[in-house]
């Protein structure tokens, strides 16, 4: 995630900010310019004709849209189909946490130039349903034909940690859920016949029965050598899940590197094997890099440094994963698919 500047005084501004802590101007994020701006309704000296998304009044969005826009919602909020009402105070607070993660997701998908069509207006599009655990449809967190369902209980950190232990997962976050589930949606959009065969050569044949594969996974677990071929245990369940898990990790890598680049982080010369791989001393902006190896090598150095800092504080690793060669090839495949798509 990029670190931003206040348009009035150039002080540092972070993605969720609604006010500059230095000059006290009210601020909002404008996706089209990828910058923060002062909405005209809050300061008449700024003639940018921008206003807040309708959901700003619920404290779930700080994005700006054109004053003349026929849609009262920003791109991120226009994808919502089912959300809690204010009368359900507990669920509403959980939705606020979910929106922070979802807005970060939409920012990144935009940076990757991926289509962001609303399923509410277009059959081939995205819709988000934020539901309670006891929803009438008995739905679980997941994806179905562009509809991404996230259970509100995922916003409860204690509940999420319990599930993490129950499911024997090394990593479970709100943003991780969004990145995984949206991966299923883009799988449907990215593969024509040529790319589909390339996918099968790397991930396996997705035509094997999905339901039976998941049932077998939940009954028997992952194979003993799963970490030689997959990024996570769950990725071994089915090629679709392998894609979604690997896709989520690709987004993790890209986002953390963009943050490091925005902060000006660099690696000094060193004889350690990790830093010997770095071809540049400064963390690159991954969205401007074609060669995935440059991105990957910088990411390894960055995550090793971040993990070491966490351990110094007695905390768990921020990125507790080791990426074997087969997973690297899958990540590189995703990167090349997106780069080729943008260059076509």
């Amino acid at each position: 995630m990029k670190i931003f500047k206040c348009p009035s005084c150039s002080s540092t501004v972070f993605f969720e900010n609604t006010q500059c802590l230095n000059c006290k101007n009210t601020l909002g994020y404008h996706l089209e310019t990828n910058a923060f701006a002062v909405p005209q309704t809050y300061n008449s000296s700024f003639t940018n004709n921008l206003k807040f998304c309708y959901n700003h009044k619920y404290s779930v969005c700080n994005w700006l849209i054109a004053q003349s826009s026929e849609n009262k919602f920003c791109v991120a909020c226009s994808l919502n189909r089912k959300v809690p009402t204010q009368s359900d105070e507990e669920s509403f607070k959980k939705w606020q946490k979910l929106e922070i993660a979802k807005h970060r997701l939409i920012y990144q998908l935009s940076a990757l130039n991926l289509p962001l069509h609303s399923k509410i207006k277009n059959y081939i599009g995205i819709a988000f349903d934020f539901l309670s655990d006891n929803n009438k449809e008995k739905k679980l967190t997941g994806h179905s034909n562009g509809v991404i369902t996230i259970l509100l209980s995922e916003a409860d950190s204690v509940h999420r940690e319990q599930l993490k232990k129950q499911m024997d997962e090394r990593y479970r976050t709100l943003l991780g859920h969004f990145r995984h589930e949206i991966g299923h949606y883009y799988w449907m959009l990215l593969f024509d016949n040529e790319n589909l065969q390339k996918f099968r050569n790397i991930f396996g044949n997705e035509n094997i029965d999905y339901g039976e594969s998941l049932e077998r996974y939940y009954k028997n677990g992952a194979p003993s050598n799963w970490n030689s071929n997959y990024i996570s245990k769950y990725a071994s369940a089915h090629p679709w899940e392998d894609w979604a898990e690997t896709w989520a990790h690709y987004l993790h890598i890209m986002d953390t590197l963009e943050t490091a680049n925005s902060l000006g982080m660099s690696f000094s010369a060193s004889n350690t094997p990790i830093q010997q791989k770095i071809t540049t001393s400064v963390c690159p902006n991954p969205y401007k890099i074609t060669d995935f190896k440059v991105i990957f090598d910088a990411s390894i150095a960055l995550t090793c440094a971040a993990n070491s800092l966490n351990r110094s504080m007695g905390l768990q690793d921020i990125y507790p994963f080791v990426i074997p060669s087969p997973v690297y090839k899958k990540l590189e495949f995703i990167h090349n698919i997106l780069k080729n798509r943008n260059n076509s």
Side-chain angles (χ1 to χ4, degrees):
M1 174 64 66
K2 178 181 173 183
I3 308 301
F4 300 89
K5 290 184 178 180
C6 172
S8 179
C9 68
S10 297
S11 294
T12 298
V13 175
F14 297 100
F15 189 59
E16 284 81 23
N17 284 166
T18 56
Q19 185 183 52
C20 174
L21 297 180
N22 182 53
C23 68
K24 308 305 180 184
N25 265 311
T26 296
L27 300 175
Y29 172 72
H30 188 230
L31 181 65
E32 286 73 11
T33 56
N34 192 22
F36 270 73
V38 178
Q40 189 175 4
T41 49
Y42 283 81
N43 190 328
S44 58
S45 65
F46 287 85
T47 56
N48 49 34
N49 295 317
L50 296 175
K51 64 180 179 180
F52 274 115
C53 166
Y54 184 79
N55 276 343
H56 175 256
K57 70 177 186 177
Y58 298 124
S59 300
V60 296
C61 181
N62 68 335
W63 286 25
L64 299 172
I65 58 176
Q67 290 276 6
S68 58
S69 175
E70 295 180 1
N71 191 345
K72 63 182 181 179
F73 295 107
C74 69
V75 172
C77 291
S78 68
L79 303 177
N80 289 346
R81 194 173 71 166
K82 296 180 180 178
V83 299
T85 61
Q86 269 189 303
S87 59
D88 186 347
E89 186 175 347
E90 183 178 351
S91 293
F92 192 81
K93 288 180 179 178
K94 291 177 180 177
W95 175 43
Q96 290 175 317
K97 294 180 181 179
L98 289 169
E99 280 295 341
I100 292 173
K102 194 199 77 183
H103 277 65
R104 283 182 169 255
L105 172 73
I106 301 305
Y107 166 93
Q108 187 173 30
L109 298 177
S110 176
L112 290 167
N113 294 316
L114 287 164
L116 291 167
H117 304 300
S118 172
K119 193 174 183 68
I120 300 168
K121 297 181 178 180
N122 187 336
Y123 178 74
I124 303 176
I126 306 167
F128 289 95
D129 289 350
F130 301 117
L131 306 178
S132 63
D133 286 38
N134 58 351
N135 62 85
K136 294 180 181 179
E137 300 95 333
K138 297 182 179 179
K139 288 185 176 181
L140 301 174
T141 292
H143 167 268
S144 178
N145 195 30
V147 178
I148 295 168
T149 300
I150 304 289
L151 293 183
L152 292 166
S153 59
E154 288 291 348
D156 185 331
S157 58
V158 174
H159 176 78
R160 196 166 60 247
E161 188 64 25
Q162 289 172 340
L163 285 178
K164 178 181 173 182
K165 292 181 179 178
Q166 180 183 328
M167 305 294 288
D168 193 22
E169 296 175 340
R170 304 176 74 186
Y171 176 90
R172 190 182 183 97
T173 67
L174 289 180
L175 188 52
H177 278 315
F178 279 104
R179 286 173 172 163
H180 174 100
E181 300 304 343
I182 203 71
H184 287 299
Y185 169 72
Y186 284 114
W187 187 92
M188 300 189 305
L189 297 188
L190 292 174
F191 292 103
D192 53 23
N193 290 333
E194 180 183 356
N195 284 334
L196 185 57
Q197 188 54 54
K198 292 178 181 178
F199 168 86
R200 290 171 178 169
N201 292 340
I202 297 175
F203 289 87
N205 193 332
E206 81 289 351
N207 284 323
I208 62 174
D209 191 277
Y210 181 69
E212 290 180 4
S213 296
L214 288 188
E215 184 178 349
R216 184 166 52 251
Y217 170 79
Y218 285 120
K219 180 180 179 180
N220 302 323
S224 59
N225 66 337
W226 67 269
N227 54 357
S228 297
N229 298 286
Y230 302 98
I231 191 65
S232 68
K233 290 182 178 181
Y234 189 52
S236 69
H238 187 275
W240 278 339
E241 297 304 339
D242 191 11
W243 162 267
E245 285 285 271
T246 309
W247 170 275
H249 280 261
Y250 175 75
L251 297 190
H252 293 337
I253 288 170
M254 298 292 280
D255 199 17
T256 52
L257 267 187
E258 187 192 23
T259 303
N261 171 263
S262 184
L263 290 169
M265 294 181 65
S266 62
F267 306 103
S268 62
S270 171
N271 291 323
T272 62
I274 292 172
Q275 292 187 353
Q276 283 177 351
K277 294 181 179 180
I278 303 302
T279 57
T280 177
S281 62
V282 179
C283 270
N285 182 344
Y287 298 109
K288 296 182 179 180
I289 302 296
T290 300
D291 186 353
F292 181 68
K293 189 176 186 305
V294 174
I295 294 172
F296 182 76
D297 287 348
S299 176
I300 291 296
L302 178 64
T303 53
C304 283
N307 286 347
S308 297
L309 289 171
N310 263 29
R311 293 176 189 180
S312 296
M313 292 292 294
L315 300 173
Q316 294 182 342
D317 287 355
I318 191 172
Y319 189 78
F321 300 93
V322 176
I323 299 179
S325 179
V327 175
Y328 171 87
K329 291 179 180 178
K330 294 171 186 178
L331 290 165
E332 184 179 41
F333 173 75
I334 292 173
H335 180 74
N336 290 338
I337 283 283
L338 294 178
K339 285 298 177 184
N340 291 338
R341 178 183 176 278
N342 288 330
N343 293 332
S344 62

